[in-house]
Amino acid sequence: MSRSTIPCMLMRGGTSKGAYLLARDLPSTQADRDPLLLRIMGSPDVRQIDGLGGATSLTSKMAIVSASVRDDRDVDFAFAQIGVETDTVDTGPTCGNILSGVGPFAILRGLVEAGQDETTVRVWDVNTSSRMDIVVPTPGGVVEYEGDASIDGVPGTAAPILINFLDILGPRSGTVFPTGNPRDEIEGVQATCIDSVNPVVLLHADELGESGHEIPADLDADHPMLERLETIRRSASLAMGLGDAAGHALPKIALLSPPDDGGHICSRYFTPTHCHEAHAVSGAIAIAIAAQCPGTVAEDIGRHEQGDRRITRVEHPSGHLDVVIHLDPDQKVPDAIVSAGIVRTARPIMDGVAFV
């Protein structure tokens, strides 16, 4: 490999887009690696004009993939959120949308052998120390991208990719409610602090003076509300044992409200400085799990299902996102929650080398 180039595949994963790289093609130390990642994306620059980034947080992401060192997993996946206007590389959170491209990428790069019908890629998420299984359609041993699955926030249809999240109760803190309570009062508002895939703070939108059905641009323009939201997020982070959240993407935060389009609950999810144009997969899972648990701010609004297999439809600015929760009938929630599944789509956009 030339010292001026790095093999790179640009992919859409769910409602995000990012660069997918093999760990073996990058420097082994963070100090040497991070400047290269920033260079590839063109950060820091509001337009990311000198790199692959799309000038938004949803298109300034990276997946770093390698063969797994664990016997029960096929690949290790590290997610990196690349700052747009800042020279930050945040490997604290994970991204369920970018994750949806990891399965096809691992097959295309020869890390996993494709089956004749479908291929399950067993993933170890390095950032959250948790397991996911990605089911990729591979008829005839070839990754299929064309299909009838549609996801709100992405035009057209594509082949469905099923992601099953297996370690969803407290992957970071060891408990699904790190404060010890399903609901707390934080900075004068009712909040649920939940650790599921990513740590997320859930609030009632009306307590922030919002309906919860605003378009993202209107929420982004409400600077006093954003400042209050950040104050709540930082206080919640301390209460969750995550430390000072200033300058960090975690915990994320979401405003909840009753549904108005046939869903179970409505959400406006923040990244955390801007409202998401659609919704993060990890945030939707956190909301779906909170909705099953008595006493949370998600449980007391919206509609709820019963049974061992429950679907929670989360409404968001671009449409909706369905989360399938599987429960053990012999346990009580939240311990009864075994896994969460979600359907995404993904496709390669470009494969080649990035000049650095």
Side-chain angles (χ1 to χ4, degrees):
M1 182 186 73
S2 169
R3 298 180 67 181
S4 62
T5 63
I6 293 179
C8 173
M9 184 179 292
L10 188 67
M11 296 187 71
R12 176 186 62 79
T15 56
S16 293
K17 184 167 62 177
Y20 288 67
L21 310 167
L22 291 174
R24 68 188 182 213
D25 294 326
L26 296 171
S28 58
T29 67
Q30 181 179 348
D32 293 329
R33 182 199 66 186
D34 286 1
L36 287 181
L37 302 185
L38 291 164
R39 179 70 172 158
I40 290 171
M41 299 307 280
S43 297
D45 173 49
V46 66
R47 295 183 299 159
Q48 291 184 315
I49 194 66
D50 202 33
L52 295 177
T56 74
S57 62
L58 304 186
T59 55
S60 187
K61 301 183 176 186
M62 286 187 165
I64 302 171
V65 182
S66 62
S68 183
V69 298
R70 296 170 58 95
D71 293 337
D72 63 339
R73 300 287 96 188
D74 299 311
V75 298
D76 292 342
F77 157 60
F79 168 70
Q81 180 70 60
I82 310 300
V84 177
E85 299 179 58
T86 62
D87 60 350
T88 54
V89 177
D90 193 345
T91 55
T94 192
C95 178
N97 280 303
I98 289 296
L99 175 65
S100 63
V102 170
F105 178 75
I107 296 170
L108 292 172
R109 285 293 191 256
L111 299 179
V112 176
E113 183 178 354
Q116 290 301 302
D117 183 24
E118 63 181 27
T119 304
T120 297
V121 179
R122 303 172 302 168
V123 178
W124 176 254
D125 190 304
V126 175
N127 295 25
T128 62
S129 298
S130 56
R131 299 167 300 151
M132 296 92 165
D133 287 345
I134 306 175
V135 183
V136 181
T138 53
V142 179
V143 177
E144 176 63 78
Y145 301 105
E146 303 298 323
D148 298 327
S150 63
I151 59 174
D152 291 331
V154 177
T157 62
I161 294 174
L162 174 64
I163 308 176
N164 288 312
F165 293 79
L166 305 179
D167 302 313
I168 51 177
L169 300 180
R172 190 171 297 269
S173 65
T175 179
V176 68
F177 298 121
T179 67
N181 308 303
R183 181 190 298 237
D184 297 279
E185 183 175 310
I186 297 178
E187 298 291 337
V189 300
Q190 297 296 302
T192 289
C193 300
I194 184 168
D195 179 11
S196 176
V197 186
N198 278 328
V200 183
V201 183
L202 306 177
L203 311 172
H204 286 160
D206 58 9
E207 288 208 73
L208 275 293
E210 309 291 350
S211 72
H213 297 275
E214 293 83 0
I215 63 173
D218 287 349
L219 292 172
D220 285 349
D222 190 344
H223 297 293
M225 186 278 294
L226 290 177
E227 290 177 3
R228 189 179 181 205
L229 205 63
E230 178 63 6
T231 297
I232 295 168
R233 190 180 77 91
R234 292 181 63 178
S235 294
S237 181
L238 294 175
M240 298 171 79
L242 300 176
D244 188 357
H248 298 285
L250 295 179
K252 299 298 178 72
I253 196 162
L255 301 181
L256 306 181
S257 60
D260 67 355
D261 192 29
H264 294 89
I265 196 167
C266 183
S267 171
R268 294 296 184 263
Y269 183 84
F270 291 79
T271 62
T273 56
H274 298 282
C275 182
H276 201 299
E277 294 288 341
H279 209 284
V281 167
S282 56
I285 290 174
I287 292 168
I289 289 176
Q292 316 305 318
C293 301
T296 69
V297 300
E299 188 265 344
D300 62 6
I301 59 176
R303 302 188 299 110
H304 306 287
E305 294 189 351
Q306 300 299 317
D308 301 339
R309 181 182 182 275
R310 305 177 186 179
I311 297 177
T312 299
R313 173 163 288 186
V314 179
E315 296 179 0
H316 58 70
S318 297
H320 68 267
L321 196 160
D322 290 347
V323 180
V324 180
I325 301 291
H326 293 275
L327 298 95
D328 180 348
D330 297 326
Q331 300 284 334
K332 293 183 178 181
V333 293
D335 293 337
I337 299 172
V338 176
S339 66
I342 198 159
V343 171
R344 299 278 85 186
T345 64
R347 79 173 186 93
I349 297 170
M350 178 281 299
D351 191 12
V353 296
F355 287 86
V356 294

